[in-house]
Amino acid sequence: MSTFRRARSWLTAHPTALDAALALGVLVAMVAGAFVDPHAAHGDKWGARTPDALSIALMGPAAAVLIARRRAPMAVLAATCALTLAELVTGDPRAPVAMAAVIALYTVASTTDRPTTWRVGLLTMTVLTGTAMLAGPLPWYAQENIGIFAWTGMAATAGDAVRSRRAFVAAIRERAERAERTREEEARRRVAEERLRIARDLHDVVAHHIALVNVQAGVAAHVMDKRPDQAKEALAHVREASRSALNELRATVGLLRQSGDPEAPTEPAPGLVRLDELVGTFHSAGLSVEVARADEGVTLPAAVDLAAYRVIQEALTNVRKHAGQEAKAEVSVVRVGPNLEITVLDNGTGHTGTDREGEAGGGHGLLGMRERVAALGGTLTTGPRYGGGFRVHAILPLTTRPTAAEAVRP
């Protein structure tokens, strides 16, 4: 962070210090303006005039009261206007004490509503300008009198504009945050409903068929010695019930599988050792894929190995589906410290990232990837690339740790 940003952050966190610095700057400007004669025709303009002692004495309180402008803007405006009126009536030559009233009026306009700004602004402009024109030593048409009218008007206008912009930005931010919360809540609700439905299905399937298996196994054990034919029949029922249970479990769990997964895998869970084979299948489908690996000698936990494989598989599947016919993909697998980082890039010009997220296309691939990575304590980021294409980046810790839900599971 640069020095300017650090200073800005510190001043934002300490607004009183910022107001004190502003008050000091206003005091310096008022003192300088009191000793400068802008109408001096010859010689140095500095020191061409000397203000009254009372005018100099009024500058200090007028600047000091600005320190409290955020806490009590109306009171500060009243105090600065009173000091300004005193200087306008008695000052000869005049000192620019009205600068403090201008700052105070700006603060009121930027922290209140528009009707209040109109009322207070018009009252301040009328009182200060009228007093300067009628009670001061200068003629009513002097440019100093017109300047008081102009500066107070600009202060009220600028403060109202700043307040309106702040309200506009705050409304946009609040609307965006509310939309984001609504979308996340809807996604969580749908995921929870789907998980509950699948859990019910699994419970019904397992409970029903395990009960049948238990009953038939008990019958077979009871008649094994005396009636072997009936025992064989009971064991046949056990076999049929177990086969039916497996089929129904396969159908239920199949709802969670991706379109390219086998229906009944009988081999060990895939991992990065089969990455070349996976890439070969996409080459056969017409997708150009380049692979860069820097994970030699890394022994991956089984869960991390499977998750890495599935992330690459789903990402390349999305490239094939959404990125267009001429798209190319790049896959990198790199170990960075205690993590394994996987990046899948493509230069596709097909459907947008919204389709890949499933909101328009109806799929749940990226949501499934995100949940799989989060279950291992990792992070997954996805989104369009600058200039076209899409990016999937997963960080998987090599030392897996349980999620919050698993930590409280009995």
Side-chain angles (χ1 to χ4, degrees):
M1 183 181 294
S2 64
T3 303
F4 174 76
R5 290 185 177 179
R6 285 197 298 268
R8 183 178 180 181
S9 300
W10 187 87
L11 290 175
T12 302
H14 301 81
T16 303
L18 178 60
D19 291 338
L22 175 64
L24 180 60
V26 171
L27 178 60
V28 172
M30 287 192 296
V31 172
F35 285 90
V36 173
D37 184 5
H39 303 294
H42 304 286
D44 296 333
K45 296 182 182 296
W46 174 260
R49 64 178 182 176
T50 301
D52 294 338
L54 179 58
S55 297
I56 297 176
L58 292 174
M59 295 180 191
V65 75
L66 292 177
I67 298 176
R69 68 187 186 96
R70 297 177 193 266
R71 296 190 296 271
M74 286 293 187
V76 170
L77 177 61
T80 54
C81 285
L83 294 170
T84 301
L85 291 174
E87 199 282 329
L88 290 175
V89 173
T90 62
D92 187 18
R94 284 181 181 171
V97 179
M99 292 178 60
V102 170
I103 299 297
L105 180 58
Y106 166 83
T107 303
V108 170
S110 63
T111 55
T112 59
D113 52 34
R114 180 161 294 171
T116 302
T117 300
W118 275 98
R119 290 193 295 269
V120 175
L122 287 175
L123 179 62
T124 303
M125 292 167 59
T126 301
V127 171
L128 295 184
T129 306
T131 302
M133 289 181 174
L134 300 177
L138 298 175
W140 69 270
Y141 53 83
Q143 65 179 12
E144 285 85 352
N145 298 337
I146 305 301
I148 292 176
F149 177 82
W151 280 105
T152 51
M154 287 189 294
T157 303
D160 182 70
V162 169
R163 180 199 53 78
S164 299
R165 176 170 176 78
R166 287 174 182 168
F168 178 71
V169 172
I172 291 179
R173 183 180 294 111
E174 193 276 335
R175 211 161 33 237
E177 292 176 352
R178 185 170 61 249
E180 183 67 20
R181 287 195 302 269
T182 302
R183 186 175 67 176
E184 292 178 355
E185 290 171 0
E186 179 66 15
R188 286 195 295 267
R189 184 186 65 81
R190 291 183 179 181
V191 170
E193 289 179 354
E194 182 67 11
R195 287 174 174 173
L196 182 60
R197 186 187 66 79
I198 293 174
R200 290 198 198 100
D201 292 344
L202 291 175
H203 174 271
D204 294 342
V205 170
V206 173
H208 173 69
H209 290 287
I210 291 300
L212 291 179
V213 169
N214 182 61
V215 171
Q216 295 296 338
V219 171
H222 181 69
V223 300
M224 180 66 71
D225 295 332
K226 297 180 180 179
R227 286 176 284 180
D229 292 339
Q230 190 174 354
K232 290 181 180 180
E233 183 179 353
L235 291 176
H237 286 305
V238 169
R239 182 179 181 184
E240 183 64 26
S242 62
R243 180 185 296 113
S244 178
L246 289 175
N247 289 336
E248 293 192 37
L249 283 173
R250 183 181 298 111
T252 303
V253 178
L255 297 174
L256 302 176
R257 298 188 183 280
Q258 303 301 319
S259 58
D261 288 348
E263 292 185 2
T266 58
E267 57 191 49
L272 292 181
V273 69
R274 296 178 53 190
L275 181 57
D276 292 338
E277 178 183 343
L278 175 66
V279 171
T281 61
F282 286 96
H283 280 159
S284 301
L287 177 64
S288 175
V289 182
E290 297 181 3
V291 179
R293 299 186 62 173
D295 60 332
E296 293 81 6
V298 180
T299 301
L300 301 178
V304 175
D305 200 19
L306 176 60
Y309 181 90
R310 291 303 189 198
V311 166
I312 296 174
Q313 182 183 46
E314 175 58 27
L316 292 178
T317 301
N318 283 343
V319 175
R320 189 68 185 88
K321 289 180 179 179
H322 303 294
Q325 296 294 328
E326 304 298 326
K328 296 181 180 181
E330 299 176 6
V331 178
S332 67
V333 182
V334 181
R335 177 178 179 176
V336 180
N339 300 320
L340 184 71
E341 294 192 9
I342 298 171
T343 306
V344 181
L345 308 174
D346 70 76
N347 62 346
T349 58
H351 295 303
T352 64
T354 300
D355 295 319
R356 300 202 191 186
E357 289 287 354
E359 295 176 13
H364 301 284
L366 294 183
L367 180 60
M369 275 197 295
R370 188 169 286 109
E371 290 190 345
R372 185 186 293 273
V373 172
L376 298 175
T379 58
L380 178 77
T381 55
T382 61
R385 299 174 61 194
Y386 179 79
F390 201 77
R391 177 178 182 268
V392 176
H393 181 67
I395 300 177
L396 299 172
L398 297 180
T399 302
T400 59
R401 53 186 182 275
T403 60
E406 296 170 340
V408 299
R409 186 178 300 163

